Amino acid sequence: MTKLKPVPEPAPAPDAPSETPRPLLSVRDLTMTFPGKRSVTGRRGAPVRAVDGVSFDLAAGETLGLVGESGCGKSTTGRMLVRLLEPTSGSVTFDGKDISRLSQGALRPLRRHIQMVFQDPHSSLNPRQTVARIISDPLLVQGWTAGDARRRAAELMDLVGLIPEHIDRYPHEFSGGQAQRIGIARSLATSPRLVIADEPVSALDVSVQAQIVNLMERLRVELGLAYVFIAHDLSVVKRVSDRVAVMYLGRIVEIGDQKSLYENPQHPYTRALLSAVPLPDPAAERRRERIVLLGDPPSPAAPPPGCTFHPRCPKAQDICRTERPSLRIAASREVACHFPGD
């Protein structure tokens, strides 16, 4: 195999005044370590580092797509952003305030600004509650009266394309796509500024997926929302995202604007993922080269040394087996690879 020359670390840029507005969401070195499972003898296995130093910024009104294989830590990252999981370390700063260590009491007023849409619409809705109660619950927690909360719930049903007269029905009376619209309406009840969408269309039929994606894009424009859109389907992510972050084994390996990342991926893992996305042109589909990764992803309980992707990487060299690459600028985006590009 040809010996490749690693890309040197870029020289630090001189300090210059910046006019970039403060990000709505700023994540720094976020980690999540779960205790190892116990064996039948009671011994606990090695801890699992599900998220390993994730950092990114999100501007107001922007959509960041978070993609990767199952088990890469993207859903765990999303749940830490809304404090459904407590981070092991790192920080989550929302609108200039670090929320990663706030008490539940101090966090409650801020929860109205950050909401979540879950993957499975039916399992995320209480089957014993009517739609009116499901949508209005966040408002009741924030101190709304029952009458005002019910009126707001009816308005939200109309906003997401549901019939307001069905407000007293139960979740099992709706299809999967309709149930996900209920989940979206619930997430919008408190007029949030940020919505974490955890694979919101993966459990739906393809035709329904397009409807939900179009709905979420319309709501983003009309309401000025920011999204962290978690998915494993790169076609969906391309449709909704301004920027894309690619995760592998708990780390972001490439992050940049959607257009340049899809047209000119720099990390070998990103290239492999994009080579598996079907093309609408059958002739182009036959001509293009598919990149098949060997083996399965390593266990996060026992990650390989150096670059965690090197056991499956066709470009791996000696440095990849001993030194873990950090994110650095390559082709106008950040890439964690010693040999980015073709």
Side-chain angles (χ1 to χ4, degrees):
M1 182 165 54
T2 305
K3 197 76 171 177
L4 299 176
K5 186 176 181 180
V7 175
E9 293 283 357
D15 292 336
S18 174
E19 298 181 358
T20 303
R22 182 177 69 186
L24 177 66
L25 180 72
S26 183
V27 179
R28 290 291 176 269
D29 299 320
L30 200 63
T31 66
M32 183 69 213
T33 303
F34 293 104
K37 293 183 178 179
R38 290 190 182 277
S39 66
V40 291
T41 61
R43 293 190 61 183
R44 191 176 289 279
V48 177
R49 202 172 180 87
V51 178
D52 188 10
V54 165
S55 299
F56 62 85
D57 290 332
L58 181 71
E62 183 185 29
T63 298
L64 174 71
L66 194 58
V67 301
E69 294 173 292
S70 296
C72 71
K74 54 188 186 295
S75 291
T76 301
T77 299
R79 289 171 180 267
M80 284 192 288
L81 299 181
V82 293
R83 291 281 302 275
L84 291 180
L85 289 174
E86 297 294 334
T88 303
S89 63
S91 66
V92 178
T93 303
F94 177 77
D95 199 20
K97 187 167 188 175
D98 187 352
I99 64 172
S100 54
R101 294 292 178 265
L102 290 181
S103 67
Q104 290 299 321
L107 184 63
R108 179 170 293 177
L110 294 173
R111 284 199 180 277
R112 65 183 298 268
H113 299 297
I114 310 173
Q115 293 293 312
M116 190 162 188
V117 177
F118 297 91
Q119 178 177 359
D120 188 339
H122 277 112
S123 67
S124 67
L125 305 177
N126 190 331
R128 295 182 177 85
Q129 291 183 347
T130 64
V131 173
R133 180 61 188 272
I134 289 170
I135 297 177
S136 63
D137 257 354
L139 298 171
L140 298 175
V141 170
Q142 294 292 331
W144 286 48
T145 66
D148 288 342
R150 182 181 174 87
R151 282 188 288 274
R152 172 67 170 160
E155 294 172 357
L156 288 167
M157 288 188 70
D158 183 59
L159 181 65
V160 300
L162 295 171
I163 300 173
E165 287 73 19
H166 294 169
I167 195 169
D168 291 315
R169 293 187 176 183
Y170 289 85
H172 72 269
E173 300 179 74
F174 295 87
S175 67
Q178 291 172 328
Q180 192 60 291
R181 289 173 188 265
I182 296 171
I184 293 171
R186 176 179 59 186
S187 74
L188 300 178
T190 57
S191 301
R193 300 174 63 190
L194 170 64
V195 173
I196 313 299
D198 185 10
E199 304 214 35
V201 298
S202 63
L204 306 176
D205 294 337
V206 175
S207 60
V208 180
Q209 287 183 8
Q211 296 172 16
I212 297 299
V213 167
N214 290 337
L215 169 65
M216 295 188 69
E217 181 62 14
R218 175 175 65 81
L219 294 171
R220 183 186 72 84
V221 174
E222 291 181 1
L223 304 178
L225 299 171
Y227 288 136
V228 174
F229 195 98
I230 300 168
H232 62 266
D233 187 333
L234 277 80
S235 299
V236 173
V237 171
K238 184 178 182 180
R239 170 70 179 82
V240 301
S241 300
D242 300 303
R243 291 188 302 128
V244 177
V246 181
M247 286 190 70
Y248 183 80
L249 210 66
R251 294 178 62 84
I252 290 178
V253 297
E254 185 166 0
I255 181 170
D257 72 276
Q258 175 259 105
K259 188 175 187 298
S260 65
L261 187 143
Y262 275 73
E263 292 179 354
N264 184 26
Q266 294 294 299
H267 196 281
Y269 179 61
T270 309
R271 296 176 66 85
L273 290 180
L274 290 174
S275 77
V277 177
L279 296 177
D281 182 359
E285 178 72 27
R286 288 193 296 269
R287 288 195 304 269
R288 76 167 175 176
E289 179 185 1
R290 294 290 296 271
I291 302 174
V292 180
L293 298 178
L294 301 178
D296 297 321
S299 168
C307 174
T308 54
F309 185 62
H310 85 258
R312 308 173 73 194
C313 181
K315 298 167 60 175
Q317 304 288 317
D318 290 343
I319 190 175
C320 305
R321 300 178 181 91
T322 58
E323 184 177 324
R324 186 165 72 173
S326 57
L327 285 168
R328 64 188 76 179
I329 300 297
S332 74
R333 78 198 71 121
E334 292 181 284
V335 185
C337 182
H338 294 298
F339 307 102
D342 291 335

